[in-house]
Structures are given as C-alpha cells and as structure tokens.
Amino acid sequence: MKWVISDLDGTLLNNDRTVGEKTILGVQNLLKKGYPFVIATGRGFASANTIREKLGVPIYMVCNNGATIYSPKGELIFENYIPVEMVKKVTACLEKYRVDYRGFFQDYYFMPNYGKEDMKRIEYKAVILEKDEDFQILEKILVVDPNTDLLRKIQKELQEEVGEELTITLSSSECLDINSKNCSKAAGIEKVATYLQLHLQDAIAFGDSENDFAMLASVGKAVSMKGTYAAQEKDYEVTEFTNHEDGVIRHLEKYIKF
C-alpha cells in the first residue's frame, strides 16, 4: 500500500459532517510518512475544500464524483461536465416527478421553479431553471428525496432513456447523483494516479455507498465502512469502527504505524 483514497460523507466524516481530531492528525501523519492522501467525493469544490482546510494538508481532490479534479494547490486540472441538451432532458424527467433537485456549476446553484422558496437558504448564487437561456453545462445534478424507491424508479427511467450519456448512482438512500458520461470516482482517481505517478493496485480506498463502488473495484485494497450500504452489498474488507469513530484512520493503523 503506497497511497490512500477516501470518500467524505459517511466515510471520513463524522455523522454531523465534521472531521474528527484523530482523523485530522492521522491524515497529517500519513503525508509526513510519505503516503499521499486523496479525497474522492460527490461534493463540489467549495464544500470539499472546507474539509481539506480542516485537514490542513495540500492534497488532490476528486469532486462531483469525478466531474472535477483539483490539484493540491486548489487548481482545477480536469473537468467533465453534463452537456446543456442533456441537462434539459434530465430536468424535464425530474420535474415530471416534482422531486427536489439541484444542479451545480462552480459557485452557482440551479433549481426548478417550484424550488423558489428555498432560495433564501442557499449560500450559492441561485438560478431558477425557467427560460431556455437559464440552462448551461453542469458539474452534477443532485436529486434529494426520502423515498429511495422513487429515486430508483427515476434512475431506471433515465438509464433507459439517456443512460449511455450519463452516470447515475445513489450516494445515499436519499440522494441520486447524476453526472456526465464516463464520469466516476474511479475515472477520477485513475487520473490522479497518473499525476502522482502511482498505480491503483498500490492504493487502499474507503467508501460507503453506490457512487463508491467503481472506485473500490479499481484499487488494490477496497474497504467498506462498517454499517453502511457498501458493507451490505459488496464483499469488501469492512472497518471495525464506523465513520463516526474515526473508522478510516483506525483501520489504517492495521497497516501503518502512526
């Protein structure tokens, strides 16, 4: 094992979406010992970067499930966006079900016209998708609904209609992530491997959900977080401690002396 890759929510972060002190010190020690550490998340840059700042280390970040990759200096070095015409097709399907969705591009936040009431609570620059000129390329479209069966239904419909042009995965039981074709954390970390001049077979990766599966399948050692969907669905090594118990760092202590 020569380098480490980790998802954020449900994996590296606590249940309250903060990063524990043991995890912060552990990641810092990894880099001191010469083990590169990479974040691979469904979050966009601004959100993921707050975690990187908490960690206090210059690391690569694969964001938006691989749609964007950032250097240790925070520079955008790769992008794979959903084309405008595909954005229109996807949002038309979502609005048919009247589900809550958000499109992301840099510090802009796109939403349906029935989401106007949420605009006051949004930190990003909000855009209501009403007119043709409102549509543009997007990093990711996120659908949020407590009904997992509905999300699966939407996922199946989009797969059948435009699946060849999209990557559609559940990042949690309440979140459906929609990205462009050939966009995944697996593709993202493959690019980071070339930047680091390392091999995926020498990496250990941690994840908790469906949008981590391709990434976990591509590395030398795949680890699912205890008590998560990934641990139930895939025959990967499982952490002894949960994400809320600094599970990633505690698991790494099996292989690295901190």
Side-chain angles (χ1 to χ4, degrees), residues 9-77:
D9 295 284
T11 303
L12 192 72
L13 303 185
N14 294 326
N15 292 339
D16 58 5
R17 298 185 178 181
T18 61
V19 57
E21 289 299 321
K22 183 177 179 65
T23 294
I24 293 172
L25 291 174
V27 171
Q28 292 175 351
N29 284 330
L30 279 174
L31 270 69
K32 289 177 183 177
K33 290 179 175 292
Y35 294 92
F37 183 83
V38 176
I39 287 173
T41 179
R43 293 187 179 205
F45 173 77
S47 180
N49 197 49
T50 60
I51 304 302
R52 180 168 67 171
E53 290 174 347
K54 288 287 186 182
L55 293 172
V57 289
I59 54 177
Y60 282 97
M61 295 195 305
V62 175
C63 298
N64 295 298
N65 295 322
T68 51
I69 300 175
Y70 293 86
S71 75
K73 294 182 179 180
E75 302 165 328
L76 178 64
I77 55 178

Side-chain angles (χ1 to χ4, degrees), residues 46-109:
S47 180
N49 197 49
T50 60
I51 304 302
R52 180 168 67 171
E53 290 174 347
K54 288 287 186 182
L55 293 172
V57 289
I59 54 177
Y60 282 97
M61 295 195 305
V62 175
C63 298
N64 295 298
N65 295 322
T68 51
I69 300 175
Y70 293 86
S71 75
K73 294 182 179 180
E75 302 165 328
L76 178 64
I77 55 178
F78 175 80
E79 55 197 30
N80 180 6
Y81 300 135
I82 306 172
V84 176
E85 290 307 311
M86 190 56 57
V87 171
K88 292 179 180 179
K89 291 180 181 179
V90 170
T91 54
C93 172
L94 300 180
E95 291 182 13
K96 180 177 64 176
Y97 289 99
R98 301 288 291 184
V99 289
D100 183 21
Y101 73 83
R102 300 290 181 266
F104 299 91
F105 184 80
Q106 297 177 357
D107 58 347
Y108 283 86
Y109 200 90

